[in-house]
Every structure is written in C-alpha cells, then in structure tokens.
C-alpha cells in the first residue's frame, strides 16, 4: 500500500523569559493557538489553495500539458512509450496534501469568532477544493482512500487505509460541491482584486464536469456500482442552474477563439470565464507558469487530434470530399478546415517561438500556437 502523503508536523515553541508577558505572541512565528480567530485568518488559510492550484499544469506531473493522453506528444516517457512506473507520484501525494489542508480548515475554522454565514463561506471554499482534488484522484486512479479528517502525525493508522469505492468518493464530492454552491459568493460579487476566487457558479460547473465524466466513464467502462443516469442527470441539473434563473445571461462564449487564450481575455470582462487561475503580471505577481517555454521545447499535438478537426462541410477527414488526400504540403491540413485548427497550431512561416515557424523543428511538427505568448 502506498503512503497517502508526506505530512509536516508543526509544533509551537514556548519561550519563558523572566519578567516578560507570557501572553504575548511571537512576532516571527505563527502557531495554531494564535490562529483561527478572525475572518482574516480564515481567508489567509484558504488563500493557500490558489497558490497550489495547478492551473494549466498537469497535476503532479511537472508538465504544462498532460501527455498521458493520445492528443499530445513530447520528449517524455509517456509519449515515447517507455514510461516506468515510479514508487510515488505528485498526482497522488500532492492531492492528498491539499485534501489534508482542506480537512484542517474544516476542523479548525469553527474556532473563529465569525457569524455563521462567514464561517460557511470559507468552509465552502475548503469543500470545493477537497472535491476538486478527490475528483482528480478518481480520474487517474479509480478507487482511492476517502479521508475526511486531518492527518497530523506519521503514525496515524489511516495513512494505510484501503481504497474507497469510486462511487462513494464521488458521492462525497457531490455533497461538498452542493454545499459550496450554496455558500460561495456569486461570481459577479467577487471584486476585481479578488478575481480568481471560487464562486457558487464554479461549484455548479464542477458538478457538471464531475457528472459528465463519471456518468460517461461508468456507462462505457461498466464501472462497478455506477448508475450512469444518476451522474448524467446531476450534470444536466447543474448545467441548467448555470444558464437559467439568477444565472441567466451571466455567461457567454468569447467573441474570438484565438484571443480567448491570450492576456486580452483575462478577468470577468470575459463572460466565458467561470473558474480560472490568475497569473502575473496582471494577477498575483508571484504566481507564474512556463506555458510558453513548454510549447517551445517540444509539446506538440499528435496527428490523431489534428485529424479530429472537421472540414467546413461538417464531415471528418475520412469522409469529406474537401480533404486533400494525399497531402503534398504541410499546410494542406488547414485547407477547408474548421478555422480553430489554424488558431491551435502554426502554419508555415507564421511568427512562432523564435521566428518563422518551420515544421518538425519542434516535437512532432504540429506545434501548438494556442496560448503561446
């Protein structure tokens, strides 16, 4: 049984100095006894989730894009077919570390002297992220241990607990997200300086994603104990709540697919945004990503996903008379094609990483333009 995570045990230092006020708090250290008192404390504890949020990074894998699918290729073991199973992986340990943080907030936040609605707001934030990481775990591992308490020492027997059936884990995910959708703030009530914090609409959108994935996976993989209709109905109900009633008109597609992935589309001005991670310089200046560098150094689309783009007659490559077969030039793949293909990968001669794009100079040749800055 692999260990669920590595945990840091924090202790408090006690100083006894003759003639000193022993009730004074140390000015350079923070302890649990001096925390969990105010809304500021609760907010500070929850802010940790945003610093840890993977954003566009593959959870625990160290890559900007997830190369474990057949859609992306690069200079890594997964793409090259020689992946060696590691003894541990951040996709597992990092998720449980973050779940432990959420459990810690849920256990200790009631100590704060705040009104019930304020307490529920921050507990909703912790439950959102606990649900988020449990969903990520079930997608990668299926059945996983369901821990709903804080682990604060290395001898806790629950560190070696067995796996919980996926359906039971997803049931808890729904419960957490239902609570979050009730108590998180409305997305339009989040100020510009707090943009990026989760909203009740983000919780609803997560229910949609969880329901769609779990329902379709259960249907086509015959997952034990899974009722696909239950999950798909849950997704439909959450989606309906996102587009009608109080949420009607809050969201719409951005006007430009290519600019959607550039700086211009940041913030609430882009009504397609529901849940985002904010990077510098327009966001938190200390939060950054290596997306552009990863694209330059070899992350590419495979031919498999290129062929999934339809032609202007709505037909796939193997059926459309508009398809150029056989291709005699690299740019033949763009002819009579869904224009989003040309916004996703480079054409010959377009301004790219260090000058005009040259096919096969990077990765497999279908180098990604979408999101490159």
């Amino acid at each position: 049984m692999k260990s669920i995570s590595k945990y840091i045990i924090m202790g408090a230092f006690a100083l006894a100095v003759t003639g000193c006020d022993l009730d004074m708090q140390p000015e350079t250290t923070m302890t649990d006894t001096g925390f969990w008192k105010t809304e500021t404390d609760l907010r500070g504890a929850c802010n940790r989730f945003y610093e840890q949020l993977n954003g566009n990074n593959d959870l625990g894998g160290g890559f900007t894009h997830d190369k474990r699918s057949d859609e992306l290729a690069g200079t890594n073991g997964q793409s090259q077919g020689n992946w060696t199973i590691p003894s541990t992986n951040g996709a597992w340990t990092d998720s449980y570390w973050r779940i432990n943080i959420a459990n810690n907030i849920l256990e200790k936040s009631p100590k704060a002297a705040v009104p019930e609605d304020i307490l529920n707001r921050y507990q909703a934030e912790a439950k959102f992220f606990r649900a988020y990481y449990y969903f990520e775990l079930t997608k990668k591992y299926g059945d996983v241990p369901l821990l709903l308490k804080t682990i604060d020492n290395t001898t806790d027997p629950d560190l070696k607990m067995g796996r919980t059936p996926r359906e039971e884990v997803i049931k808890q995910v729904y419960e957490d997200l239902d609570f979050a959708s009730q108590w998180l703030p409305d997305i339009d009530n989040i100020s510009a300086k707090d943009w990026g914090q989760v909203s009740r609409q983000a919780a609803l959108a997560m229910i949609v994603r969880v329901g769609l994935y779990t329902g379709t996976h259960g249907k086509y993989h015959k997952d034990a104990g899974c009722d696909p209709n239950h999950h798909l109905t849950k997704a439909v109900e959450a989606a309906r709540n996102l587009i009608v009633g109080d949420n009607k008109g809050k969201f719409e597609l951005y006007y430009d697919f290519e600019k959607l992935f550039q700086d211009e589309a940041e913030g609430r001005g882009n009504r397609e945004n529901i849940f985002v991670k904010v990077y510098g310089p327009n966001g938190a200046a200390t939060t950054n990503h290596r997306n552009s560098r990863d694209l330059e150094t070899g992350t590419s689309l495979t031919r498999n996903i290129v062929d999934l783009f339809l032609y202007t007659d709505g037909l796939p490559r193997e059926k459309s008379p508009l398809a150029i077969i056989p291709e005699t030039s690299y740019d033949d793949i763009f002819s009579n094609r869904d224009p989003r293909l040309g916004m996703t990968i480079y054409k010959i001669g377009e301004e790219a990483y260090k000058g005009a794009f040259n096919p096969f100079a990077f990765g497999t040749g279908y180098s990604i333009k979408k999101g490159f800055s």
Side-chain angles (χ1 to χ4, degrees):
M1 174 69 67
K2 67 171 71 175
S3 176
I4 287 177
S5 187
K6 296 179 182 178
Y7 296 97
I8 298 175
I9 303 172
M10 299 182 65
F13 292 93
L15 300 177
V17 182
T18 302
C20 290
D21 183 355
L22 298 183
D23 292 329
M24 292 181 64
Q25 295 292 326
E27 294 183 359
T28 58
T29 62
M30 182 178 292
T31 68
D32 247 16
T33 57
F35 202 69
W36 310 110
K37 292 184 176 181
T38 66
E39 181 179 354
T40 299
D41 293 340
L42 301 185
R43 178 187 175 93
C46 287
N47 279 347
R48 178 65 167 156
F49 292 125
Y50 300 99
E51 187 274 331
Q52 292 180 324
L53 185 64
N54 294 288
N56 66 339
N57 292 318
D58 167 36
L59 183 62
F63 305 109
T64 301
H65 300 87
D66 189 346
K67 301 183 183 70
R68 285 173 287 198
S69 73
D70 58 1
E71 298 176 354
L72 292 173
T75 54
N76 64 89
Q78 294 104 312
S79 295
Q80 296 172 353
N82 57 4
W83 176 249
T84 301
I85 300 176
S87 60
T88 186
N89 186 270
W92 178 277
T93 55
D94 289 354
S95 291
Y96 275 108
W97 171 243
R98 293 159 190 177
I99 287 168
N100 198 58
I101 292 174
N103 288 337
N104 190 50
I105 291 172
L106 291 170
E107 290 176 8
K108 295 176 180 177
S109 56
K111 297 178 182 180
V114 296
E116 183 178 7
D117 61 330
I118 298 298
L119 173 63
N120 287 343
R121 180 251 182 275
Y122 290 102
Q123 290 210 330
E125 206 161 351
K127 288 189 175 186
F128 175 92
F129 283 101
R130 183 169 70 178
Y132 178 93
Y133 288 112
Y134 267 125
F135 177 50
E136 289 295 317
L137 283 167
T138 61
K139 286 195 296 182
K140 293 177 174 67
Y141 301 105
D143 300 344
V144 296
L146 178 61
L147 270 173
L148 301 177
K149 71 168 193 177
T150 302
I151 300 292
D152 57 8
N153 65 77
T154 57
T155 61
D156 193 310
D158 282 340
L159 279 173
K160 300 293 184 179
M161 73 182 294
R163 295 177 184 247
T164 307
R166 183 208 301 258
E167 283 295 300
E168 188 175 335
V169 177
I170 294 299
K171 180 181 177 182
Q172 182 63 49
V173 167
Y174 285 142
E175 289 179 8
D176 283 352
L177 292 175
D178 284 340
F179 184 89
S181 67
Q182 179 181 357
W183 289 104
L184 286 173
D186 187 279
I187 192 169
D188 285 337
N189 292 335
I190 295 176
S191 66
K193 69 180 181 64
D194 290 332
W195 173 248
Q197 288 186 346
V198 289
S199 63
R200 69 183 189 89
Q201 288 83 6
L204 288 171
M206 274 298 299
I207 294 173
V208 175
R209 176 167 291 189
V210 173
L212 283 174
Y213 181 90
T214 308
T216 54
H217 192 282
K219 179 177 180 179
Y220 296 108
H221 293 269
K222 310 299 181 184
D223 294 332
C226 177
D227 177 4
N229 289 334
H230 165 70
H231 297 289
L232 296 175
T233 298
K234 188 83 173 174
V236 169
E237 291 173 349
R240 184 176 292 115
N241 287 336
L242 264 177
I243 60 178
V244 299
D246 293 342
N247 292 316
K248 186 175 182 180
K250 287 183 183 289
F251 304 102
E252 61 184 13
L253 295 178
Y254 199 59
Y255 76 97
D256 188 306
F257 178 82
E258 188 168 6
K259 292 180 180 178
L260 174 63
F261 303 96
Q262 300 294 334
D263 292 346
E264 176 185 304
E266 289 185 359
R268 183 57 182 146
N270 174 2
R271 308 293 285 188
E272 190 169 330
N273 285 334
I274 299 180
F275 178 42
V276 302
K277 177 165 183 174
V278 179
Y279 294 94
N282 298 334
T286 57
T287 306
N288 56 71
H289 64 76
R290 50 166 293 159
N291 185 56
S292 291
R293 176 63 64 188
D294 240 27
L295 294 179
E296 178 184 348
T297 55
T299 301
S300 307
L301 291 190
T302 62
R303 181 62 194 233
N304 181 69
I305 193 171
V306 169
D307 285 346
L308 292 179
F309 281 81
L310 301 178
Y311 284 78
T312 53
D313 56 8
L315 296 175
R317 183 174 186 271
E318 63 272 15
K319 294 183 178 181
S320 176
L322 300 177
I324 299 176
I325 303 176
E327 297 159 1
T328 58
S329 168
Y330 176 88
D331 278 358
D332 284 349
I333 60 174
F334 300 102
S335 296
N336 305 309
R337 211 65 177 270
D338 182 334
R340 289 175 295 184
L341 179 59
M343 301 175 188
T344 302
I345 60 176
Y346 285 103
K347 298 178 182 179
I348 294 175
E350 287 186 326
E351 182 181 355
Y353 315 116
K354 293 178 178 177
F357 175 67
N358 177 27
F360 307 106
F362 306 94
T364 64
Y366 301 109
S367 299
I368 303 173
K369 177 168 69 173
K370 185 176 77 173
F372 180 79
S373 176

